[in-house]
Amino acid sequence: MKLKPVAYLSKGDFPLGEGEALALYRAMRRARFFDEKAVTLQRQGRLGVYPPFTGQEAAQVGLALALGEGDWVVPSYRESALLLARGLPIHTLLLYWRAHPAGWRFPEGVRAVNPYIPIATQIPQAVGLALAGRYRGEGWVVAVAIGDGGTSEGDFHEGLNFAAVFRAPVVFLVQNNGYAISVPKEKQMRVDYIARRAEGYGMPGVVVDGNDAAAVYLEARKAVERARKGEGPTLLEALTYRLAPHTTSDDPSRYRTREEEEAWRAQDPILRLRRALEARGLWDEGKEGELLAELEAEFTQELALADAAPEPRPEEIVEHVYAEMGPDQRRAWEALGRGLHLEEAW
Amino acid sequence: MVAEKARVLNMVQAIHEALDLALARDPRVLVFGEDVGRLGGVFRATEGLQAKYGEARVFDTPLAESGILGLAIGLAMGGMRPVAEIQFAGFLYPALDQILSHLGRWRHRSRGRVGLPVVVRAPYGGGVHTPEQHADSPEALLCHTPGVKVVIPASPERAKGLLLAAVEDPDPVFFLEAIKLYRGSRAEVPEGHYTLPLGRARVVREGRHATLIGYGGMVEVMLEAAEVAAREGVEVLVVDLETLVPLDEDTLLEAVRETGRAVVVYEAMRTGGFGAEVAARIAEGAIDHLQAPVVRVAGYDAPYPPFSAIEHHYRPSARRVLAALRRVLTH
Ligand SMILES: Cc1ncc(C[n+]2csc(CCOP(=O)(O)OP(=O)(O)O)c2C)c(N)n1
């Protein structure tokens, strides 16, 4: 069977309502703004190692906006755009990437869990979370995102099979950006599309142009509706590209060419939606300027909030290991709280 | 040890050199893992090796640790000598089934017919502000697996000779490399091929008042503490275990008998860590010589914190080692 990526914007179609289109654009622009600021902060030594997502906004934001309020997202580590679009406050996200303990506790009400660093481990967990929603009669849908490389891990396959067997209300989004750090897709798998795997588990697989916000959003919405109606999981593959390095400590010139990057830059998902909006008179230079000023003001305020977070206390190391501190944590906590270590406190 | 000319190298360079020599000497040696080919490994330990030895011998695998370990086991069964890289020791966990159920058991379960000369290299340990899981020290998990060896070098010249020995060893060897030492430690490294024996601990500093025992990234911490203690007239003997399994109990016990006081240092979580094994061996073998209880300096009973501002409190420091020394000396 031939799979064909779903695309709208490149064909001149504009299947979005005005409100939806503008919401997508604003959320993508805001995410990009954050990403650029985050990289700058990292360079200034004000953020730890950071994995940028520039180029993948349509995939992440498209999925986020397709969800309902009660739905959950289970992100991988590159999903800052997904988290922002889901309502995670910027200062929390900054503190998270600052490796500040306060950034690791997401606010109640934000239906997103912490990023997963070990690859693919969130996939079976997302299925469990989805089933919990069904048991509890809450009917939430779980959206889980992963990279193309992550689909090589056993957990990916076990998780998808479980989801299909239990008809779990999950939307699996694979952001196929062509690389797992340096390893190109061809060295990761021998299928043209990852979505093709869906059939083997017994669920629909859909390929979308991942730089086309309309395509991702609409296909994600269909998958969410399917899940909500009890029809089970969907595997959605978004073809996209990470214009930035793997992380702020990576050098992509070792494994990919400038020409390749430039070719993808022309497919920038933000520019593509913006052109489509402009063609319909929904956006212009003035509106863009206003939006950027708004984002700048918001970021400044949020950065100040992050900066104002109190210095972490050494004893936070042993807090929250158990619901109630055991004797080993207690002893360490008391020592660290007095500015000592265990050995010094004896 | 055939020491020829020596140059100053850091640990990544020394490991790179060992891999290069191993590939050159034995066509059965294969080097593979995530990003080891074109990129040369996230720490560049395999840089240029694919260009030199070709894609058949140095190659990228899909992102799947269980797959990498399973592949290594099969290759070894078929007569090859796989040297697999796991990107960070904290990502060995997806492969634990292959390790616990198979890698360590094959020789025993085949009554000696199938031996697995596999080397698994993995960076481990903290002190360099890495994200979650990247600073884990899972050596105790591996040591608790029958049939595997666990080696943790503490300096570039030891790393090179031990890695070459690990590649030539007939049994599976986990070779854990402290990330902090990759670029942070430099030493004279002999040129050419040489091996250092697995299963031997070494005394890296003589002393008669107390013994410090540790390995990997903790050796420089122990030496720093010993240096400070020396200024106060306390002479500290420092032992680098180097191979945790099989443990060189003779060297360990002798070192403890010489001083009658012992402190064990490791950066993994305290409970059930390898230091507990060391303390137990000392109790079993040198109780009559002990003048104080054995004291551990370790991480706390919590996940290694990725919280950069406070992670240094988790990882044992010279200050903490000194406090423990004070405790055993004043007992
Ligand atoms: C279990 C595990 N193994 C290895 C790593 C190291 N690692 C971090 S990101 C990455 C590549 C991920 O690639 P992909 O899934 O395609 O996502 P992308 O980075 O492209 O978003 C690797 C190998 C890890 N985090 N977890």
Side-chain angles (χ1 to χ4, degrees):
Chain A
M1 189 187 60
K2 232 178 128 47
L3 282 179
K4 221 167 129 280
V6 179
Y8 296 108
L9 299 181
S10 47
K11 295 190 290 181
D13 295 351
F14 195 76
L16 300 167
E18 185 177 327
E20 288 170 321
L22 288 173
L24 278 170
Y25 184 76
R26 294 176 72 94
M28 293 205 305
R29 199 63 202 82
R30 179 168 176 262
R32 173 76 56 92
F33 194 88
F34 174 87
D35 209 43
E36 288 169 352
K37 290 283 186 189
V39 170
T40 308
L41 287 175
Q42 194 280 334
R43 301 268 179 260
Q44 296 167 345
R46 297 168 72 194
L47 210 66
V49 181
Y50 173 78
F53 55 77
T54 283
Q56 300 185 201
E57 290 84 355
Q60 296 187 23
V61 170
L63 177 64
L65 297 202
L67 296 169
E69 218 170 279
D71 298 336
W72 281 91
V73 302
V74 181
S76 182
Y77 64 97
R78 199 185 296 289
E79 271 75 74
S80 294
L82 182 64
L83 290 170
L84 286 172
R86 237 352 243 177
L88 186 72
I90 288 175
H91 68 268
T92 310
L93 195 53
L94 284 173
L95 286 169
Y96 179 86
W97 288 114
R98 239 172 218 189
H100 188 297
W104 287 58
R105 188 188 173 99
F106 286 5
E108 302 298 330
V110 175
R111 291 225 159 168
V113 299
N114 291 29
Y116 284 65
I117 303 293
I119 301 295
T121 48
Q122 83 272 37
I123 304 290
Q125 297 183 19
V127 178
L129 179 60
L131 293 181
R134 193 157 79 198
Y135 280 118
R136 298 179 40 164
E138 304 220 16
W140 57 57
V141 172
V142 176
V144 54
I146 188 172
D148 46 296
T151 67
S152 296
E153 292 275 6
D155 272 349
F156 177 78
H157 301 280
E158 296 184 22
L160 263 71
N161 191 42
F162 273 45
V165 165
F166 297 123
R167 287 178 89 80
V170 186
V171 179
F172 298 100
L173 172 73
V174 177
Q175 296 163 83
N176 184 348
N177 64 17
Y179 289 91
I181 308 190
S182 71
V183 182
K185 182 183 155 275
E186 302 70 54
K187 293 242 160 86
Q188 206 69 242
M189 66 197 73
R190 284 297 164 100
V191 284
D192 51 356
Y193 294 118
I194 295 162
R196 200 177 280 295
R197 302 211 187 281
E199 194 187 342
Y201 302 113
M203 69 175 80
V206 182
V207 191
V208 297
D209 175 340
N211 284 14
D212 179 335
V216 181
Y217 169 71
L218 291 174
E219 288 306 318
R221 225 174 49 181
K222 276 190 227 161
V224 171
E225 277 162 23
R226 238 181 72 78
R228 211 181 300 290
K229 282 197 297 205
E231 290 169 17
T234 305
L235 174 59
L236 197 61
E237 175 181 9
L239 306 175
T240 182
Y241 194 80
R242 184 190 76 229
L243 288 165
H246 166 66
T247 66
T248 42
S249 34
D250 171 54
D251 170 14
S253 74
R254 299 176 68 98
Y255 53 85
R256 64 187 199 193
T257 62
R258 273 227 164 269
E259 296 79 69
E260 181 183 299
E261 287 174 22
E262 287 315 313
W264 277 96
R265 210 171 286 284
Q267 296 294 315
D268 185 326
I270 295 184
L271 287 183
R272 275 172 69 187
L273 184 58
R274 179 171 168 183
R275 276 195 217 108
L277 289 172
E278 283 172 349
R280 273 151 197 85
L282 295 172
W283 202 253
D284 56 33
E285 214 37 69
K287 289 199 169 115
E288 181 77 9
E290 272 170 44
L291 176 59
L292 288 182
E294 202 182 294
L295 294 176
E296 181 78 54
E298 179 196 30
F299 191 87
T300 308
Q301 205 174 358
E302 290 286 311
L303 179 60
L305 273 179
D307 287 345
E311 280 295 303
R313 297 162 286 116
E315 62 269 35
E316 287 186 69
I317 283 174
V318 289
E319 289 173 0
H320 309 298
V321 179
Y322 300 102
E324 207 169 310
M325 240 181 233
D328 284 316
Q329 289 79 26
R330 167 76 50 193
R331 251 193 305 277
W333 188 80
E334 278 163 7
L336 290 164
R338 284 191 286 139
L340 298 171
H341 289 96
L342 207 47
E343 301 78 17
E344 300 162 299
W346 265 315
Chain B
M1 171 165 158
V2 196
E4 297 167 31
K5 262 184 19 219
R7 309 97 332 130
V8 173
L9 300 183
N10 67 28
M11 195 141 110
V12 182
Q13 292 166 323
I15 287 164
H16 178 271
E17 206 165 273
L19 293 172
D20 193 349
L21 285 164
L23 283 158
R25 278 171 71 90
D26 186 345
R28 296 173 301 172
V29 171
L30 304 173
V31 169
F32 56 87
E34 291 154 18
D35 298 282
V36 303
R38 182 143 189 197
L39 185 68
V42 288
F43 289 104
R44 310 282 187 265
T46 56
E47 185 163 10
L49 294 179
Q50 184 173 67
K52 191 163 170 187
Y53 296 98
E55 286 204 31
R57 298 192 61 207
V58 179
F59 58 93
D60 288 319
T61 64
L63 203 179
E65 293 72 18
S66 184
I68 292 171
L69 262 290
L71 187 76
I73 291 170
L75 283 166
M77 284 175 173
M80 303 305 285
R81 293 195 161 253
V83 182
E85 176 176 303
I86 294 295
Q87 217 153 61
F88 289 86
F91 301 139
L92 274 169
Y93 310 143
L96 281 183
D97 182 35
Q98 289 292 341
I99 295 167
L100 298 168
S101 305
H102 302 288
L103 180 67
R105 279 174 195 262
W106 256 113
R107 184 178 295 283
H108 191 259
R109 72 142 66 113
S110 66
R111 306 317 294 157
R113 196 168 80 86
V114 180
L116 298 176
V118 170
V119 176
V120 181
R121 296 179 40 245
Y124 87 97
V128 284
H129 299 326
T130 46
E132 205 182 1
Q133 274 95 3
H134 288 67
D136 283 19
S137 297
E139 68 274 12
L141 291 176
L142 302 170
C143 290
H144 199 62
T145 305
V148 305
K149 300 182 179 178
V150 179
V151 176
I152 309 187
S155 72
E157 83 284 8
R158 304 301 298 178
K160 180 177 169 185
L162 289 165
L163 182 51
L164 283 165
V167 173
E168 289 163 30
D169 197 273
D171 283 308
V173 180
F174 282 93
F175 197 83
L176 300 186
E177 301 157 7
I179 300 172
K180 183 100 194 311
L181 301 182
Y182 267 158
R183 297 198 155 73
S185 78
R186 299 175 64 77
E188 287 207 342
V189 177
E191 272 179 22
H193 178 272
Y194 64 93
T195 57
L196 296 170
L198 307 185
R200 299 261 179 86
R202 61 189 185 119
V203 172
V204 289
R205 185 182 171 116
E206 295 287 351
R208 59 199 167 95
H209 296 127
T211 301
L212 287 174
I213 303 141
Y215 46 88
M218 289 295 106
V219 172
E220 66 173 16
V221 173
M222 294 191 296
L223 287 172
E224 190 189 334
E227 199 57 45
V228 176
R231 278 184 240 134
E232 293 170 26
V234 177
E235 293 167 29
V236 178
L237 194 158
V238 180
V239 178
D240 171 9
L241 292 178
E242 211 163 70
T243 301
L244 308 194
V245 177
L247 186 65
D248 178 0
E249 201 174 281
D250 292 345
T251 303
L252 167 67
L253 295 181
E254 196 181 315
V256 174
R257 286 187 194 117
E258 268 175 48
T259 66
R261 300 168 201 276
V263 173
V264 196
V265 189
Y266 56 106
E267 60 184 301
M269 156 172 153
R270 191 162 176 270
T271 297
F274 194 75
E277 176 66 29
V278 174
R281 300 272 187 135
I282 293 170
E284 285 168 354
I287 192 84
D288 296 339
H289 296 78
L290 282 184
Q291 294 172 51
V294 181
V295 168
R296 283 175 291 168
V297 181
Y300 293 103
D301 283 6
Y304 187 100
F307 308 131
S308 21
I310 46 175
E311 74 157 282
H312 62 282
H313 290 284
Y314 187 95
R315 191 171 186 265
S317 60
R319 173 180 143 188
R320 288 170 62 184
V321 174
L322 284 162
L325 274 174
R326 209 160 291 131
R327 202 173 153 225
V328 296
L329 286 163
T330 55
H331 181 82

